[in-house]
Amino acid sequence: MFKPRIIPSLLISDNGLVKTTKFQDRRYIGDPVNTVKIFNEKFADEIILADIDRSIQKKEPNFNQIEIISEQSRMPVCYAGGIKNEEQAKKIISLGIEKIGISSLVFENLDEVNKISRRIGSQSLVIILDLKYNDVENDYYIFIHNGRINTKISINMFIENYIPKLEFGELILNSIDNDGEMKGYNISLIEKVYKNIDMPLTILGGAGKIENINEIFAKYKFVSCAAGSLFIYKGKFKAVLINYPTLETKLKM
Amino acid sequence: MIGIINYGLGNVKSIYNLLLFLNEKVIVVNENEDLEYVDKLILPGVGSFDYAMKKIKKANLIDSLNEQVLVKKKLIMGICVGMQIMFDNSEEGTEKGFGWLKGKVIKFEKKKDKEGAIIPIPHMGWNQIEPLNSSIKMFDNLSLNSRFYFLHSYYCSPNNKEDTIANTNYIKNFCSVVQKKNIIGIQFHPEKSHNSGLKIFKNFCNI
């Protein structure tokens, strides 16, 4: 039987692993390659790897690091961070990465995004949206460059005006408000989207316990769950301890 | 010796590492001459049907692979798009495939499940396979609930139904593993399917 995925989301900055809260307060976690090896041993469904400073610093993806991680990973990897053109995307796929995550490029150069999609196959193109709630408008707005720039495009506008023009394989909704809070996923965000798209949807931001994932799986049959803090921290003092549900736990979910 | 065909697409490195882990002799096939040294082949693939075929043409591999597979009858395993290009053609594009297996590659149809939820396309994530016969070597030592990683919007539809050796259910029952004598195709990614995938490689090496 098909089951939605449970996906550790790893943030990279200056080649090291970090974790944020509400996209701020970066904390150093450790070495990305070692962490990927640990997730191999825990049979993780997939991992998301986001090199979060690349676009802001106008730097190319770190192909060497991506290659090392790809070689080590026995699970599928989605890489995001600094991909601005077809050549870079193609190169990353040729290193054995299954999926390319795009965020700011969607709002900078839509044509290039579709070029990437045609080149690598739309199933391998993932759109990642960082969203912040606006209580005046009671709506979610898309931010780019680590939450620093408001595109002023709401999630509804995105569904109406962007999705029909894009060929892609997965949408990841990342809640800036819930990031690192470990108080549960942003369900109202899922509500706004899941009936309006026909490709896989993944929610990210806010998971603090396995029950948060169970809640999503019970409500939405095809929504996958990604999480950072949940799989990185243990206990109320947030000690760094890489963890992931066992196969037995997963079967019961 | 196993040769992994490197035409610029697919998880060559991860497959290479897995085979080394299994203590197999393995080389990466970069040009036609390398093919002479190998007795088994792996044809990986990520991306689109047309792009894969164009890359193979560009690498000048069409005639030599036809010879390896059809004349010398070396065992070959195609993975994902590597499986799809073993067929005649695909709805994804206009290029011709190798045609070693008769049939075509078809796009999943949009459908809702019993509860009215849209079943997303692509088929992305972990799913099971249902072997059609218990004596198939490729599935030795696999437990019933083994899960594999899938990532595709198109599936293979063999003309000869007996070529299908396992089905998977997503939107419909589709052919997820195919075998016709020395030609094997696998829709999922065994190189990204943890221990279940490792068993698939082990079985391939033991044939």
Side-chain angles (χ1 to χ4, degrees), chain B residues 124-149:
Chain B
M124 179 186 285
W126 295 75
N127 208 337
Q128 287 166 309
I129 62 169
E130 205 185 302
L132 297 182
N133 179 329
S134 57
S135 62
I136 298 162
K137 285 207 177 99
M138 280 303 284
F139 305 138
D140 273 358
N141 299 315
L142 277 184
S143 64
L144 271 174
N145 49 17
S146 299
R147 300 189 316 142
F148 301 94
Y149 186 81

Side-chain angles (χ1 to χ4, degrees), chain A residues 1-5 39-46 67 69-77 90 93-99 118-124 126 168-170 194-201 221-222 224 247 250-251, chain B residues 6 8-14 17-18 21 46-48 51 55 80-81 92 107 110 112-115 117-129 145 147 149-154 169-170 189-195 198:
Chain A
M1 205 183 93
F2 179 82
K3 279 203 165 175
R5 293 153 290 147
F39 282 120
N40 271 340
E41 285 157 21
K42 299 191 179 296
F43 306 124
D45 287 343
E46 185 178 312
E67 184 170 17
I69 290 173
S70 173
E71 284 172 24
Q72 292 300 330
S73 177
R74 281 196 212 149
M75 61 223 145
V77 179
K90 189 193 82 180
I93 292 287
S94 76
L95 299 177
I97 297 286
E98 277 68 25
K99 297 193 282 185
R118 281 192 292 273
R119 175 61 80 88
I120 65 171
S122 63
Q123 78 282 351
S124 292
V126 179
F168 63 106
E170 179 181 15
Y194 89 108
K195 277 186 181 157
N196 297 308
I197 64 164
D198 47 22
M199 66 281 292
L201 180 67
K221 223 169 136 185
F222 296 107
S224 291
L247 286 174
K250 261 187 349 191
L251 278 175
Chain B
N6 181 20
L9 275 184
N11 302 313
V12 174
K13 283 268 175 62
S14 19
N17 287 342
L18 274 179
F21 178 79
V46 171
S48 69
Y51 186 58
K55 291 288 275 187
C80 195
V81 176
E92 194 178 8
K107 182 150 189 160
K110 278 183 194 171
K112 287 185 177 171
D113 72 353
K114 277 175 261 162
E115 286 113 52
I118 301 165
I119 309 175
I121 302 172
H123 177 210
M124 179 186 285
W126 295 75
N127 208 337
Q128 287 166 309
I129 62 169
N145 49 17
R147 300 189 316 142
Y149 186 81
F150 288 83
L151 176 55
H152 62 125
S153 305
Y154 296 81
N169 191 272
Y170 189 79
H189 287 278
E191 75 282 15
K192 298 286 170 173
S193 296
H194 296 302
N195 287 356
L198 211 58

